[in-house]
Amino acid sequence: MTSYTAPTKDMAFVLHEVLDVGSGATPGYSELEPSFTAAVLEEAGKLASQVLHPLNAVGDAQGCRLDNGVVRTPEGFKEAYDKVCEGGWTGLDCDPEFGGQGMPYVLNSAVGEILSASNMAFNMYMGLTHGAYSAIHVHGSEEQKATYLPKMVTGAWTGTMNLTEPHCGTDLGLLRTRAEPQDDGSYLITGQKIFISAGDHDLSENIIHLVLAKAPGGGEGTRGISLFIVPKFLINEDGSLGDRNPVTVGKIEEKMGIHGNATCVLNYDGARGWLLGDLHKGMRAMFTMMNEARIGVGLQGYAQAEVAYQNALAYAKDRLQGRAVTGPENPDGPADPLIVHPDIRRSLMDQKSFIEGARALTFWGATLIDAAHRSGDKEADALIGLLTPVIKGFQTDRGFEMCVQAQQIYGGHGYIEEQGMSQFARDARIAQIYEGANGVQALDLVGRKLAQDGGKPVMAFFELIKGFIKENEDNAALKADFLDPLKAGSKDLQAAAMYFMQNGMKSPNSALAGSYDFMLMFGHVALGLMWARMARAAQAALDAGTGDKDFYQTKLATGRYYMARHLPATGLHLARITSGADPVMALAAEAF
């Protein structure tokens, strides 16, 4: 049986000592005092460890089942969901006009890490709803907002996003689902959608599906796509639920992981829907959900690594195997604990340094989202747009790798289901695929984001690093271990970006062949920046003689590990990128 404890001290360090959210100029940040955020995270931690995590293995073992056209969730999920709703967790950062608490997105992200780490499959039901809420909040009419949002904020109704069809995933221009306009202003939606997370369940009274479909007159490709609100149950004028809409579950997918979340095939047979946003502009409205979802998936990547790491660490301290090469460290026992061995330490440090760096990057990204949405900060909006494919792609790739490393510490026991480590790896695996597979994230980064607005966002990122290094160049405690490696990694990243600029137009394959390496390189540099910022905060606390000395010294040692052992990977990625397309494209298709 696995366990989970919310890492609230590490979260508080990032929020208050690194990002200093309480003194931020963004509206709502003045409320984020340490005592307030501590209370919120503490309560979320209790919910996670006492209610949600004990159901993690239950959901994995039982999965969801289709019973007479209705999806039944695993035992205990409904009761847990009711507790989540009663606690107001579904509306933490939602608009108070519709019953939300109006807290900043950064606090919602911190709570989201806790809930996702404790039970990823369960938390997806709320995550999909939040995305649908955001799309309606931004693009919906006043009537639509009044109809749907209050119930979605309380969790009485949940939401989904319906994009994928059997013949098209990323290439949405190929979708076949049709929307036929009706005299009353509604549309009849007909088609089939697959891989719909939380597509049906018994947790809420109603499910509000957001469905991409093609209405007449829209033209070919994605330009002809519109977005529609299609409720599972139709809604009467007085707000009560009416007849069942003709949208049915064809089957529940049998998956590698996240068994506790119902991934459904949904059949729309003339289901009644209403246009959300502008006709034939559905992609714009859907990306309100998609971009939020990609940040959330990046969070899932390191959150699964966190819970896997916690259990691997406990096992490494408890399991007796072999003797330390420098002499027995447990002389009264038959063997020393695993943690004395350098390779086990390497694995644990890999996990710890990634998780803490990814947390800082995600929380920083959340502050950029807050600045963009609450203050209209266009520069913050452009920067988080650039960072979104990095946060999603890099953190889910590395998060899965860290789950595998945590499983590896158990040796053969990690491969046995009763230990629970297999589930973390299996659940984490989907995060590399959904909301845009990581190869697509890399293509988006290199093919669109680098050149966006004349390259201003990426230049702003480089200037941010340059400014940080210059601001701290007289700090002897940071220079050799943090600033110099960050400078070297940033130079590699700039060299790669320059290679794309010089070669991308005349040889597009040269840019695309190196896109994945560029995404990973960018991720390493972004985490390097985060570790440099965390090191500055930790060193400042030590110099001031305040707080827990051991905590800050541990932060510095963990950061030094990342800068010395992982950030140099930028050199490898640069070598791969500058090798161009020839090694990648050398074989004709028939030669494979």
Side-chain angles (χ1 to χ4, degrees):
M1 181 62 132
T2 59
S3 64
Y4 171 73
T5 302
T8 53
K9 190 170 185 178
D10 288 303
M11 290 178 163
F13 171 72
V14 174
L15 288 173
H16 298 291
E17 297 182 63
V18 180
L19 300 176
D20 193 18
V21 293
S23 63
T26 301
Y29 272 42
S30 60
E31 298 180 45
L32 299 181
E33 298 177 352
S35 59
F36 174 72
T37 60
V40 173
L41 297 179
E42 190 70 29
E43 287 304 310
K46 290 178 183 177
L47 176 69
S49 61
Q50 297 172 12
V51 178
L52 301 186
H53 190 68
L55 293 174
N56 198 43
V58 175
D60 188 53
Q62 292 185 6
C64 299
R65 71 181 194 278
L66 187 57
D67 182 11
N68 268 348
V70 178
V71 172
R72 305 296 180 187
T73 53
E75 188 177 327
F77 269 45
K78 172 59 176 169
E79 292 77 12
Y81 183 75
D82 289 344
K83 287 186 178 180
V84 169
C85 295
E86 288 166 11
W89 297 105
T90 55
L92 191 65
D93 68 331
C94 295
D95 191 339
E97 181 181 348
F98 304 105
Q101 298 177 49
M103 290 291 105
Y105 181 70
V106 68
L107 184 59
N108 190 66
S109 295
V111 170
E113 178 196 325
I114 293 172
L115 302 185
S116 183
S118 64
N119 193 326
M120 178 173 162
F122 179 91
N123 191 55
M124 287 171 63
Y125 291 102
M126 287 94 76
L128 270 296
T129 303
H130 193 283
Y133 157 89
S134 296
I136 296 172
H137 189 264
V138 172
H139 300 283
S141 66
E142 293 305 314
E143 182 182 358
Q144 288 172 334
K145 293 177 188 179
T147 299
Y148 299 105
L149 295 189
K151 293 284 190 179
M152 296 175 78
V153 167
T154 64
W157 297 354
T158 54
T160 70
M161 52 196 299
N162 286 231
L163 291 78
T164 308
E165 299 183 5
H167 57 283
C168 72
T170 302
D171 191 356
L172 289 171
L174 299 176
L175 69 77
R176 297 172 184 160
T177 299
R178 298 293 168 183
E180 294 298 327
Q182 304 300 297
D183 292 340
D184 63 359
S186 66
Y187 290 76
L188 297 184
I189 311 299
T190 301
Q192 185 179 76
K193 298 291 184 177
I194 66 170
F195 304 159
I196 308 306
S197 299
D200 196 74
H201 51 80
D202 54 4
L203 303 180
S204 63
E205 300 168 359
N206 203 1
I207 302 174
I208 310 305
H209 302 293
L210 298 192
V211 185
L212 286 181
K214 288 188 174 182
E220 296 300 316
T222 58
R223 290 173 295 179
I225 294 176
S226 301
L227 184 62
F228 298 91
I229 300 174
V230 188
K232 176 180 177 179
F233 289 99
L234 297 172
I235 301 160
N236 297 321
E237 288 188 10
D238 62 0
S240 63
L241 297 184
D243 295 336
R244 174 75 183 260
N245 218 354
V247 49
T248 57
V249 181
K251 70 170 181 175
I252 301 175
E253 301 288 1
E254 295 184 15
K255 312 183 296 291
M256 176 179 175
I258 53 167
H259 296 156
N261 194 272
T263 305
C264 300
V265 173
L266 294 183
N267 296 317
Y268 291 84
D269 299 305
R272 195 167 294 275
W274 287 264
L275 181 68
L276 177 61
D278 296 329
L279 188 64
H280 310 315
K281 302 292 184 183
M283 295 302 293
R284 182 196 308 167
M286 181 57 80
F287 267 100
T288 300
M289 292 181 67
M290 185 67 77
N291 286 331
E292 177 183 307
R294 286 174 175 171
I295 298 293
V297 172
L299 182 150
Q300 287 179 337
Y302 82 81
Q304 286 303 289
E306 166 68 38
V307 65
Y309 164 74
Q310 288 188 18
N311 286 275
L313 175 61
Y315 188 82
K317 289 181 175 180
D318 182 67
R319 175 75 168 173
L320 302 181
Q321 291 284 283
R323 290 294 187 187
V325 69
T326 53
E329 295 197 16
N330 179 34
D332 296 331
D336 290 333
L338 281 172
I339 200 167
V340 306
H341 303 299
D343 191 60
I344 297 295
R345 293 287 186 94
R346 171 202 59 78
S347 177
L348 291 171
M349 287 296 281
D350 281 353
Q351 295 165 57
K352 181 177 175 63
S353 64
F354 161 72
I355 292 162
E356 294 181 18
R359 174 180 297 120
L361 178 59
T362 303
F363 287 11
W364 178 46
T367 66
L368 295 175
I369 291 174
D370 279 329
H373 292 175
R374 289 170 172 254
S375 301
D377 188 330
K378 293 182 179 179
E379 291 182 0
D381 193 39
L383 186 54
I384 190 58
L386 173 72
L387 290 172
T388 293
V390 178
I391 291 172
K392 195 281 185 187
F394 178 77
Q395 291 185 183
T396 58
D397 267 12
R398 296 292 288 163
F400 174 71
E401 291 174 21
M402 294 305 106
C403 287
V404 171
Q405 285 211 40
Q407 183 186 30
Q408 186 77 7
I409 285 176
Y410 280 67
H413 291 284
Y415 200 66
I416 304 302
E417 288 295 343
E418 69 182 72
Q419 294 290 342
M421 298 304 289
S422 164
Q423 183 184 356
F424 300 137
R426 288 185 286 103
D427 285 356
R429 182 66 182 90
I430 185 57
Q432 297 170 282
I433 299 171
Y434 61 14
E435 309 306 343
N438 286 354
V440 175
Q441 302 301 319
L443 296 179
D444 177 48
L445 176 64
V446 172
R448 292 181 62 245
K449 298 298 176 61
L450 280 188
Q452 201 160 31
D453 197 16
K456 287 182 180 179
V458 73
M459 293 307 298
F461 180 75
F462 291 140
E463 284 300 314
L464 195 153
I465 293 176
K466 183 179 178 181
F468 180 89
I469 293 172
K470 185 175 182 179
E471 180 184 342
N472 295 280
E473 60 187 356
D474 294 332
N475 190 331
L478 297 183
K479 189 176 187 313
D481 292 337
F482 293 94
L483 301 185
D484 290 349
L486 177 59
K487 187 175 184 179
S490 180
K491 283 186 174 180
D492 284 343
L493 188 64
Q494 291 178 64
M498 184 61 68
Y499 175 83
F500 292 145
M501 290 175 63
Q502 293 173 345
N503 295 276
M505 291 299 292
K506 60 184 178 183
S507 176
N509 280 343
S510 292
L512 300 186
S515 60
Y516 209 96
D517 280 283
F518 187 78
M519 179 185 73
L520 298 179
M521 179 194 286
F522 207 131
H524 280 300
V525 173
L527 259 64
L529 174 61
M530 293 299 101
W531 269 116
R533 293 178 68 178
M534 287 190 282
R536 180 176 65 177
Q539 189 62 54
L542 287 172
D543 292 343
T546 59
D548 184 342
K549 181 179 178 181
D550 289 343
F551 176 82
Y552 295 117
Q553 288 179 336
T554 298
K555 282 289 175 205
L556 288 168
T558 307
R560 290 189 192 103
Y561 180 89
Y562 194 89
M563 305 304 271
R565 300 275 301 206
H566 288 284
L567 190 53
T570 58
L572 168 64
H573 292 303
L574 179 61
R576 289 174 173 170
I577 289 168
T578 54
S579 71
D582 289 347
V584 176
M585 306 299 291
L587 294 181
E590 57 271 16
F592 282 89

